[in-house]
Amino acid sequence: MILKASQRSGARSFATHLLNKKENDHVEVYEIRDLAAGKLHGAFLEIEAVSQGTRAKQPFFAVTFNPPDHANVTLEEFEAAFGDVEQKLGLTDQPRAVVFHEKEGRRHAHVVWSRIVHHIDQEKGTDKLKAINMPHFKSKLQDVSRDLYIQHGWEMPRGLQSKKERDSLNFGLDVWQQAKRLKEDPRDLKKIVQEALKVSDSAKAFSKALQLQGLNLACGERRGKANFVIIHHSGEVMSLTRYSGLKTKELNALLGDPKTFPSVEQVQKKIEVLKTAALTEKINNLKKGQKKQREPLKAKLMAMREKQRAERKALKEKQEKRWQREELSRAKRLRKGLMGFWDRFTGKRTKVSRQNKKEAEEGLKRDKKEKQALIDRHLKERRALQEKFKDLKAKQNQEMAQARYGIGIEMKKQKGKLKKAWQEKDNIQNKEKLSETWKEAAGSGSGDAKVPPLKDTFKESSSKNLKQSFNEKTKKSRDKGKGHVRKNERGRDDHNGRERKRDRGPGGGPRR
């Protein structure tokens, strides 16, 4: 199984995250070991309170155990995996909490250990608390993960076999969260960026390839240094290093100096101009339509969750009542008073205690078996529904890919329209007509619609012809005034070729 680990802090928020039932079909606090609190929040607060006696800022060590898809892993197999990790990382007998999550037909476990240990130095005679150091825990967990795949006969992922064969489309938590906000598939976004890099031989070609997908290359800043970033058509900034899988130095070697590209603010402003009302409406309609398509499946999922949770609650209550009856029955076998003394003397009590212990162990195994059978049945039902979700998601991803390409084409056409309107602005004498032309180019129509700031958009345009023509016109207007020295009303020289307005009245005439 895949093992992911991290050192954590924040007892309350971490416990709340693990108990989140909105994102998960089922949440079960399976075990709280060697902690006084009986609930997860209290247990984590206890660990955090103990850590105040040390310098540790991250007292929790959390590991996620993710079995392969469609693998039914029993509780005993999970517990064995927990033990392997404890032994490998030196966490044996440390306080811990185990939480099981079920989501999208998969069952995985979160195990959180306390890093705080009571250390007694016999030589120095000191008694203090300290945090267990966790060096190279990622590589150690990879070794445990490989052993688990071999032990259970599961097909091992290529990336676990060799680092060189890792899937370049794999993503971390930060990429997943951003894609979720953008309502995009993170693998699709990574694929677009990586394929654009493969087919591009320069930064300009890469930028154009991204623009066809509604993405824009820009110059960002991180820790005081310029770096390449991508601006989504919604305006959100995406890290190029995360989506390309390349480091900053490698990107700079391929694409050149990031400072040659416009800043994030400039690109975002440009996107606001190029995204017409019609284009925005088209995007919103697509998202609304896809959300409506998911509603029937979501309704089935909610009904399934409620049904399965009710079944698990009923099984738990049934087992608890049966366990109480059996405990009472076993307790009655142990006689008290004079007869109890006689049983101890004859050895009968020892035999009865052994029988009770054996029956209790068999009862625990029976309860675990019943619970596991119910879990396996629920997972099977959930996986069948998840296949329908996957089919719908694949269809919607294809629609989104087509829409994204359409957005890129429309924004490119819009840029051409706005450039044309900007170039023809000097040929239009009527200001109202000019305003209507700009509005038409922006797709906003007439009326009180806002005129796009074309000057701000295209004054830093990369088009050489547009820059050259604009500079020539500006130069001609400047040269007209040179060499013509006029006298204003006070007799001073005015080198701007016109009279100073401060010596004229509001209506254009002389001041009275």
Side-chain angles (χ1 to χ4, degrees), residues 173 224 252 308 321 365 369 376 390 412:
L173 179 63
N252 291 344
Q308 290 184 352
K321 288 179 181 179
K365 289 180 181 178
K369 191 175 180 181
D376 292 343
K390 285 182 180 179
K412 187 176 180 181

Side-chain angles (χ1 to χ4, degrees), residues 22-222:
K22 186 177 179 181
E23 297 292 332
N24 298 284
D25 299 331
H26 302 282
V27 176
E28 178 192 1
V29 180
Y30 177 70
E31 178 191 43
I32 296 178
R33 186 181 73 184
D34 296 338
L35 292 165
K39 294 186 177 181
L40 196 64
H41 279 87
F44 283 6
L45 287 171
E46 185 180 338
I47 294 172
E48 190 175 62
V50 173
S51 71
Q52 299 301 313
T54 69
R55 295 181 181 179
K57 294 182 179 179
Q58 296 175 319
F60 304 103
F61 185 74
V63 181
T64 305
F65 293 75
N66 289 296
D69 293 343
H70 304 287
N72 292 327
V73 183
T74 63
L75 291 171
E76 289 78 10
E77 290 170 338
F78 269 116
E79 287 174 347
F82 303 159
D84 292 342
V85 170
E86 282 187 350
Q87 188 175 1
K88 189 75 173 180
L89 299 179
L91 293 169
T92 306
D93 298 329
Q94 281 298 105
R96 78 180 187 191
V98 180
V99 181
F100 280 102
H101 285 177
E102 288 180 41
K103 181 179 180 180
E104 298 178 356
R106 295 184 303 105
R107 181 174 170 84
H108 62 276
H110 296 270
V111 185
V112 184
W113 283 273
S114 170
R115 293 178 56 225
I116 312 303
V117 64
H118 191 196
H119 179 67
I120 300 174
D121 194 333
Q122 299 288 351
E123 295 180 358
K124 296 181 180 179
T126 57
D127 182 3
K128 62 179 182 179
L129 297 173
K130 73 170 189 176
I132 298 174
N133 191 24
M134 310 294 295
H136 314 294
F137 67 83
K138 290 186 179 179
S139 58
K140 291 177 181 178
L141 287 176
Q142 281 185 350
D143 294 338
V144 176
S145 182
R146 291 189 189 99
D147 292 341
L148 289 172
Y149 270 97
I150 295 170
Q151 179 183 344
H152 292 88
W154 297 326
E155 185 180 354
M156 191 181 299
R158 289 185 177 181
L160 195 58
Q161 295 175 22
S162 173
K163 290 183 179 180
K164 295 179 181 179
E165 296 186 6
R166 283 181 180 174
D167 187 357
S168 60
L169 299 181
N170 285 343
F171 51 88
L173 179 63
D174 44 8
V175 173
W176 176 79
Q177 288 176 337
Q178 186 175 49
K180 188 178 179 181
R181 288 195 303 272
L182 297 172
K183 296 183 180 178
E184 298 262 15
D185 191 314
R187 297 179 71 87
D188 285 350
L189 291 175
K190 292 196 76 172
K191 189 176 180 181
I192 288 168
V193 174
Q194 291 174 14
E195 287 185 351
L197 273 173
K198 286 180 183 178
V199 300
S200 304
D201 57 354
S202 64
K204 190 175 180 181
F206 178 55
S207 178
K208 286 185 176 180
L210 289 178
Q211 286 175 7
L212 289 175
Q213 298 291 341
L215 306 174
N216 291 269
L217 193 62
C219 175
E221 187 177 341
R222 187 182 181 187

Side-chain angles (χ1 to χ4, degrees), residues 321-475:
K321 288 179 181 179
R322 184 174 60 191
W323 182 260
Q324 290 174 359
R325 290 197 305 269
E326 291 173 352
E327 279 284 281
L328 184 61
S329 175
R330 287 191 287 267
K332 286 180 180 180
R333 295 175 186 169
L334 300 172
R335 296 192 292 181
K336 298 179 181 179
L338 185 62
M339 299 306 295
F341 176 77
W342 178 254
D343 289 343
R344 286 178 184 272
F345 180 74
T346 59
K348 185 178 178 181
R349 186 181 180 91
T350 303
K351 292 179 181 179
V352 172
S353 297
R354 287 176 182 172
Q355 183 184 354
N356 286 350
K357 185 179 179 181
K358 185 179 179 182
E359 288 181 2
E361 290 175 352
E362 289 176 352
L364 285 173
K365 289 180 181 178
R366 176 201 61 208
D367 290 350
K368 283 186 177 181
K369 191 175 180 181
E370 287 179 354
K371 185 179 179 181
Q372 187 65 42
L374 183 63
I375 289 171
D376 292 343
R377 180 167 64 82
H378 285 173
L379 287 173
K380 188 176 179 181
E381 292 174 359
R382 184 63 180 88
R383 284 167 186 161
L385 183 61
Q386 187 60 26
E387 289 300 321
K388 296 180 180 178
F389 271 103
K390 285 182 180 179
D391 293 340
L392 180 60
K393 187 178 180 181
K395 178 188 173 185
Q396 291 186 348
N397 284 347
Q398 190 175 2
E399 290 175 355
M400 186 58 72
Q402 293 173 353
R404 199 186 299 111
Y405 182 74
I407 289 167
I409 296 297
E410 287 296 324
M411 290 177 76
K412 187 176 180 181
K413 288 180 180 178
Q414 183 62 20
K415 186 177 179 181
K417 288 180 182 178
L418 294 176
K419 278 186 179 180
K420 188 177 180 181
W422 173 249
Q423 289 170 341
E424 294 178 351
K425 69 178 181 62
D426 294 329
N427 299 330
I428 302 175
Q429 302 298 326
N430 190 340
K431 291 184 179 179
E432 291 182 3
K433 187 176 179 182
L434 174 63
S435 176
E436 292 297 329
T437 304
W438 286 9
K439 288 174 184 177
E440 184 182 353
S444 55
S446 57
D448 297 331
K450 185 179 177 182
V451 177
L454 297 181
K455 185 176 179 181
D456 294 339
T457 306
F458 295 106
K459 66 181 180 181
E460 297 180 4
S461 172
S462 59
S463 174
K464 292 183 180 179
N465 296 331
L466 184 59
K467 269 189 173 182
Q468 189 176 357
S469 62
F470 181 74
N471 291 337
E472 286 177 357
K473 288 176 183 178
T474 309
K475 189 178 178 183

